[in-house]
Amino acid sequence: MKILVALKQVPDTESRIKVAADGRSLDPADVKWITSPYDEYALEEAIRIKEAKGAEVVALSVGTDAAKDVLKNALALGADTAVLLKGDGQGDAFAVAQMIAAYVKDKGFDLILCGNKGLGGDNAAMGPMLAELLGVGQANVVVKLELGEGTFSAERETDGGSELVVGALPAVITAQKGLNEPRYASLKGIMAAKKKTIEELDAAPAVAGAQVSALALPPERPAGRKLEGEPAAQAQALLQALKDEAKVF
Amino acid sequence: MILVFCELKDGQLRKPSAEALSEGRRLADASGKQLGALFVGASCAGAADAAKYGADVILTAEGGTLASYSSDAFAQVVADAVKAKGATVLLAAATAVGKDVAPRAAARLAAGYASDATALSIVDGKLQAVRPVYAGKAFATTSFASAFQVATTRPNVFPAAEKAGAGAVEALAAPTGDFKAVVKEILAKAGGKVDLSEANVIVSGGRGMKDGANFKLLEEFADAIGGVVGASRAAVDAGWGLPHSMQVGQTGKVVSPTLYIACGISGAIQHIAGMSGSKFIVAINKDPEAPIFKLASYGIVGDLFEVVPELTKAAKAMGIGSN
C-alpha cells in the first residue's frame, strides 16, 4: 500500500493576524509557523496504517523552502520519504490541487490523506478538488477510517451527526480532529530523519481560479457593559437587556 | 443564471438553503440574471418551496441512484446543470453536504471557490466574495479569474427573505450509478437540535465549568431559551467526555449565532476566532480581567454556578424562548 499525505504550513492558532503592506496578504512578522493541525491527524493515520499492515508513506507539501520544516517533522514522525513541490505558496486551493494531482498521477498511490481544511485559509477545498481532478472518491471531515481490500469505510461528521461513507481505493480522505491522537516525534525518529533528504521538484504549472484581492481585520466590536448586583439581579438584568435592547428574544 | 444547490430535510427546504437562495435572488436582480434552484436526490418533493425565495427555475435531478449522498455523483449532477443552464455563478449553503459537493463541482468546472462567504457581490460581471479567514481573525475578499465562480454561504449570515419567483420546474436526468464513494449509513442524527453552525443561540462552557457533568446547567439554560450548547477547546480537551463536535473555535466550529453566551470561558485567541462573528456576546466569568469581556456586549462578573441557574429560573419566569 502506498499512501500520500499532503501537509500545509500555516500560522499557529495563537498568532495575532496583521495585514501586510500590500493590503491583501498576511504580515509574516512574529508569526510562528506550524503544520496545519488537521494535517497532523492525516499523517498520524498514515503512520498507523503503516504500522498495522505495512505501507509506504510519502509526505508532500507545496510551498517555498520554509515548508521543509513541515516535511522534516513528517519524516521524524515516520514518513518514509518527503517531497516538496516548489511554488510560491500563493496559489488557491484549485491551483494546489492541480499541482498535487500532477505529481500523484501514475505513481500508484492507494490512499491520499490530508486535513479537512488548512488552518487559516479555512476553505476546506483542496481535498475534494484533488479527488475530482484524480477522478477518485472522497470522504471529508473523517473521524474514523477503516481499509479493506481495495475499499475504504469512513465515518464523517455532518451537521450535528455523522455518516458512514464507503468507496473504492484510491480515494482522498480528509481528516478531522478525533480521528486519532497524533504522537510526538521520538529522538530516534528525529535522528533518523536527519539522514533523509527531501526530494525537491518544481510544481507543475497550474491555473488559479480565485485570489485574495484584499485582507482586512474585522471591525472593532462596540463597547459592552457589565451588569452589577447579586446573581439573581444580574440574571434578570441580562435577560431584560437581551429582550429590550438586543431584541434577541 | 445564478444557480443555487439546495437541500431538503424531511421534505422541507433547509434554512441555510433558503438563505443562499435569498442572496442568490439579490445577486440575480443586481446583475439582471435568472435564479435557478437545483435539488438532487431520490425524491425532490418540497422543491417547490424554492419559489418562495425567488427561484425563477427549479431544477430537480431525481432518481433511485441518488438516494444516498455521493460526492462524486452529486458534483457531476451539479456541474452538468451549471453547464446545461449556462450558469456562471454556483452557490450552496456551507453545510456538511454543501461544503462536500461545492468544491468538487468547482474543480469539475475548473472554477475558483470561496467557502463560508459572509458577503457576496457581482463586480464586472463576476462574483466577489468576502469570507472569514484565520477563523474570523481577518476577512479576505476573494476575486475570481475563472469563467465559473463557486461559493458557499455561511449559515445565519444572509437573511432568508421571502420573495415570490416563477418557480418553473424542470427535471434533469439522474446519473446511472457506479459512483466512487457513497453514504452507506447515517450513524448519528442531529436529534431534535440544530447544529452549532446553524444555531441562533449558543450557550458555551469553558474550563470554568470544572467538569463535564456540570454542562447539565448549560443544557437546562439552553433549553429554557431555545439554544444549543457548545464548549471551548480547553473544555473538550480536558477529558470530561465532551465530543469534539461541541467545540467552538479555530480548530472546532466557527459559529455566528445571534446570541453567544460564554460561561467560564476566558477568551483564548483560538476560541475568540471561532465565535467573534456572533451578533451579541454575553460573558459570565469570575475573573473581571478575562479577555472575553473585551468582546462582550453584556458582561457578568460572577460565579457561573450561581448565575446560570438564576438565568434558567428567570428565563422560565419570563417565558423566554428563541424565535
Side-chain angles (χ1 to χ4, degrees):
Chain A
M1 163 152 276
K2 202 169 163 186
I3 306 173
L4 183 84
V5 185
L7 302 153
K8 187 181 183 186
Q9 192 174 42
V10 301
D12 183 76
T13 53
E14 292 303 314
S15 299
R16 291 200 180 276
I17 300 301
K18 277 182 266 176
V19 180
D22 67 3
R24 59 191 193 89
S25 61
L26 174 71
D27 182 349
D30 305 327
V31 170
K32 186 184 157 206
W33 296 90
I34 59 167
T35 301
S36 180
Y38 300 104
D39 296 345
E40 292 186 335
Y41 302 118
L43 177 63
E44 176 66 29
E45 196 65 14
I47 296 165
R48 288 187 188 198
I49 293 166
K50 175 182 160 180
E51 288 168 348
K53 40 177 83 174
E56 179 192 347
V57 177
V58 179
L60 176 144
S61 193
V62 177
T64 60
D65 278 342
K68 283 182 183 169
D69 286 346
V70 163
L71 295 171
K72 278 181 205 151
N73 185 48
L75 288 170
L77 286 165
D80 296 294
T81 54
V83 180
L84 176 67
L85 299 183
K86 294 187 88 161
D88 61 6
Q90 297 295 310
D92 70 339
F94 185 48
V96 172
Q98 290 167 67
M99 292 169 189
I100 299 178
Y103 172 80
V104 166
K105 267 203 177 113
D106 307 323
K107 286 201 174 59
F109 284 102
D110 302 286
L111 179 64
I112 294 155
L113 285 160
C114 61
N116 78 78
K117 64 178 175 185
L119 195 83
D122 298 347
N123 236 334
M126 203 289 287
M129 286 182 151
L130 178 59
E132 177 60 32
L133 294 177
L134 294 172
V136 302
Q138 72 189 45
N140 291 317
V141 203
V142 167
V143 292
K144 194 176 174 196
L145 177 65
E146 278 171 23
L147 300 178
E149 285 299 318
T151 60
F152 74 87
S153 164
E155 180 179 343
R156 80 178 209 101
E157 273 184 10
T158 55
D159 302 325
S162 65
E163 62 191 17
L164 190 70
V165 182
V166 296
L169 295 177
V172 174
I173 305 290
T174 74
Q176 168 69 319
K177 184 174 180 179
L179 178 61
N180 52 47
E181 198 53 55
R183 71 195 67 193
Y184 292 98
S186 65
L187 187 61
K188 193 174 153 224
I190 294 167
M191 297 312 286
K194 284 192 172 157
K195 295 195 190 104
K196 293 182 183 169
T197 53
I198 294 168
E199 187 183 1
E200 295 180 42
L201 301 170
D202 288 328
V207 183
Q211 60 160 18
V212 175
S213 50
L215 186 69
L217 298 183
E220 290 275 327
R221 295 189 72 92
R225 66 183 172 96
K226 292 221 168 99
L227 304 166
E228 310 292 344
E230 290 300 304
Q234 287 174 315
Q236 191 70 32
L238 174 63
L239 294 178
Q240 207 63 52
L242 289 172
K243 198 166 171 227
D244 300 342
E245 297 169 20
K247 305 204 188 314
V248 175
F249 300 119
Chain B
M1 177 183 278
I2 290 173
L3 191 62
V4 180
F5 170 79
C6 296
E7 294 171 66
L8 295 165
K9 190 180 181 188
D10 305 325
Q12 302 224 307
L13 185 68
R14 285 187 66 182
K15 184 168 165 269
S17 296
E19 294 168 1
L21 272 173
S22 294
E23 181 60 9
R25 179 71 262 166
R26 199 186 63 77
L27 294 173
D29 287 342
S31 55
K33 288 186 171 139
Q34 283 223 309
L35 178 68
L38 171 63
F39 293 84
V40 185
S43 161
C44 298
D49 276 358
K52 286 190 211 158
Y53 298 94
D56 298 306
V57 182
I58 298 172
L59 306 170
T60 56
E62 237 174 0
T65 53
L66 300 168
S68 295
Y69 173 69
S70 161
S71 46
D72 47 302
F74 275 47
Q76 185 191 328
V77 171
V78 171
D80 286 354
V82 166
K83 286 183 184 161
K85 302 310 291 182
T88 50
V89 172
L90 170 67
L91 302 179
T95 59
V97 167
K99 293 180 85 160
D100 203 62
V101 73
R104 185 158 186 142
R108 214 174 161 83
L109 294 163
Y113 170 70
S115 170
D116 285 283
T118 54
L120 293 170
S121 53
I122 303 285
V123 178
D124 297 331
K126 283 196 174 175
L127 187 70
Q128 194 170 79
V130 176
R131 52 181 301 273
V133 289
Y134 306 106
K137 288 181 204 168
F139 283 80
T141 303
T142 301
S143 306
F144 291 82
S146 50
F148 298 104
Q149 303 110 53
V150 182
T152 50
T153 55
R154 195 182 209 188
N156 268 343
V157 172
F158 299 96
E162 294 207 10
K163 186 176 183 189
V169 178
E170 190 179 319
L172 301 176
T176 48
D178 192 24
F179 308 141
K180 311 280 183 199
V182 283
V183 171
K184 191 185 169 194
E185 194 184 342
I186 306 298
L187 296 170
K189 283 206 174 167
K193 296 209 169 138
V194 290
D195 187 52
L196 280 172
S197 56
E198 292 171 39
N200 198 38
V201 175
I202 295 173
V203 180
S204 245
R207 205 192 300 272
M209 294 303 297
K210 294 189 178 142
D211 190 63
N214 294 332
F215 273 71
K216 195 160 72 70
L217 290 177
L218 304 188
E219 293 281 357
E220 287 164 359
F221 179 40
D223 283 345
I225 58 171
V228 179
V229 176
S232 71
R233 181 170 75 181
V236 170
D237 286 352
W240 296 343
L242 303 172
H244 170 249
S245 56
M246 277 179 76
Q247 185 179 322
V248 173
Q250 191 166 4
T251 51
K253 295 228 161 73
V254 177
V255 299
S256 45
T258 306
L259 174 62
Y260 188 91
I261 303 179
C263 306
I265 292 174
S266 62
I269 291 178
Q270 94 93 33
H271 184 74
I272 286 173
M275 46 64 83
S276 58
S278 309
K279 199 162 172 208
F280 293 98
I281 294 170
V282 172
I284 302 169
N285 204 297
K286 268 203 291 205
D287 176 9
E289 302 301 320
I292 189 82
F293 284 117
K294 292 203 182 82
L295 271 82
S297 330
Y298 302 101
I300 291 180
V301 178
D303 183 349
L304 71 91
F305 293 101
E306 292 176 17
V307 175
V308 174
E310 290 293 345
L311 280 166
T312 309
K313 212 172 16 169
K316 284 181 180 163
M318 289 167 74
I320 282 171
S322 177
N323 45 21

